[in-house]
Amino acid sequence: DGGITQSPKYLFRKEGQNVTLSCEQNLNHDAMYWYRQDPGQGLRLIYYSQIVNDFQKGDIAEGYSVSREKKESFPLTVTSAQKNPTAFYLCASSPRRPGWGTDTQYFGPGTRLTVL
Amino acid sequence: QKEVEQDPGPLSVPEGAIVSLNCTYSNSAFQYFMWYRQYSRKGPELLMYTYSSGNKEDGRFTAQVDKSSKYISLFIRDSQPSDSATYLCAMMQSNFGNEKLTFGTGTRLTIIP
């Protein structure tokens, strides 16, 4: 069964703690993305990676870090430097067609992070 | 001004009605247009994907793009209670070199049985 999995579904963190959100895909997609969704603000891009061992900052990368050691995995760490981390976090991936760049994006089920 | 504007709603219509959802945008470089459906506390699901101007139909859903007016629409015919969700429009400039999607804020739709 192909798809994108995110874990955990719900996560609670105390202020000052780092936390890592997992994203795995078995779609053989090259590109992976992390978004944050807040009420009334739509999806905002945190980081993205077009290829293993390479990633770029999105629009709101401050306070976050990522790694891309394997094609299937793109974990996101929310650090204590992120001032307002409570949000719904979405991971996405997209294929890359030769000569066409990447296609549109397919999303995982999301992780809801709450900072206590 | 945001690059993509979308009326947040909420929008409530009776079952069986035709629903029209819309987005406007300011960046004329956008060429690829998508509609996603997102149920509460779930990830967005791709509904429609179109390139440039024109119409695309898939079952009860029709996506329409008017690049001259910088306006895209999603029509839902014979709406069902299961269509109740938030609908997000998204667009990108190209599918080679700059693949970032720009999203609207979403319209929350409720279909009343």
Side-chain angles (χ1 to χ4, degrees):
Chain A
D1 219 12
I4 304 171
T5 57
Q6 291 186 243
S7 61
K9 188 172 182 178
Y10 298 98
L11 189 56
F12 297 89
R13 186 196 95 175
K14 292 182 180 179
E15 276 194 34
Q17 287 181 337
N18 292 355
V19 63
T20 298
L21 282 58
S22 168
C23 177
E24 304 276 333
Q25 54 96 2
N26 61 4
L27 301 167
N28 199 34
H29 286 176
D30 287 291
M32 297 186 74
Y33 309 79
W34 274 105
Y35 291 90
R36 169 184 173 136
Q37 188 174 35
D38 297 280
Q41 294 201 49
L43 275 69
R44 293 183 289 168
L45 183 64
I46 304 172
Y47 267 98
Y48 64 105
S49 168
Q50 304 283 9
I51 197 169
V52 173
N53 292 323
D54 187 45
F55 48 83
Q56 287 78 42
K57 293 182 179 180
D59 301 317
I60 55 164
E62 185 175 348
Y64 300 97
S65 66
V66 294
S67 63
R68 186 86 186 277
E69 297 176 2
K70 298 188 298 182
K71 186 176 183 178
E72 303 79 20
S73 178
F74 191 40
L76 173 75
T77 297
V78 184
T79 74
S80 56
Q82 168 49 234
K83 296 191 186 331
N84 186 19
T86 295
F88 189 47
Y89 289 87
L90 288 159
C91 177
S93 69
S94 63
R96 179 181 290 272
R97 293 181 286 166
W100 283 85
T102 55
D103 205 332
T104 191
Q105 295 174 23
Y106 301 87
F107 285 84
T111 292
R112 185 164 300 276
L113 172 65
T114 303
V115 173
L116 304 172
Chain B
Q1 184 191 7
K2 291 182 181 178
E3 274 192 294
V4 179
E5 298 277 0
Q6 185 175 8
D7 187 337
L11 179 63
S12 296
V13 300
E15 183 176 354
I18 295 175
V19 176
S20 172
L21 303 167
N22 310 295
C23 288
T24 59
Y25 62 95
S26 57
N27 187 347
S28 58
F30 287 137
Q31 296 188 73
Y32 296 86
F33 304 92
M34 286 130 272
W35 286 95
Y36 287 86
R37 178 176 61 196
Q38 185 177 24
Y39 292 114
S40 182
R41 300 179 185 274
K42 304 287 186 186
E45 167 196 12
L46 180 65
L47 270 183
M48 301 290 279
Y49 179 28
T50 56
Y51 168 67
S52 195
S53 286
N55 291 359
K56 182 176 181 178
E57 190 174 318
D58 184 1
R60 296 184 296 110
F61 298 90
T62 299
Q64 193 172 79
V65 175
D66 182 349
K67 289 189 71 181
S68 62
S69 302
K70 298 191 184 68
Y71 188 88
I72 69 170
S73 299
L74 178 71
F75 297 97
I76 307 174
R77 291 185 300 280
D78 187 25
S79 55
Q80 306 293 312
S82 59
D83 296 327
S84 298
T86 296
Y87 289 80
L88 300 160
C89 64
M91 44 199 80
M92 62 184 177
Q93 294 181 30
S94 71
N95 64 355
F96 189 81
N98 182 354
E99 295 89 359
K100 288 195 287 183
L101 284 179
T102 301
F103 286 87
T105 53
T107 299
R108 195 169 68 192
L109 172 67
T110 300
I111 306 299
I112 304 165

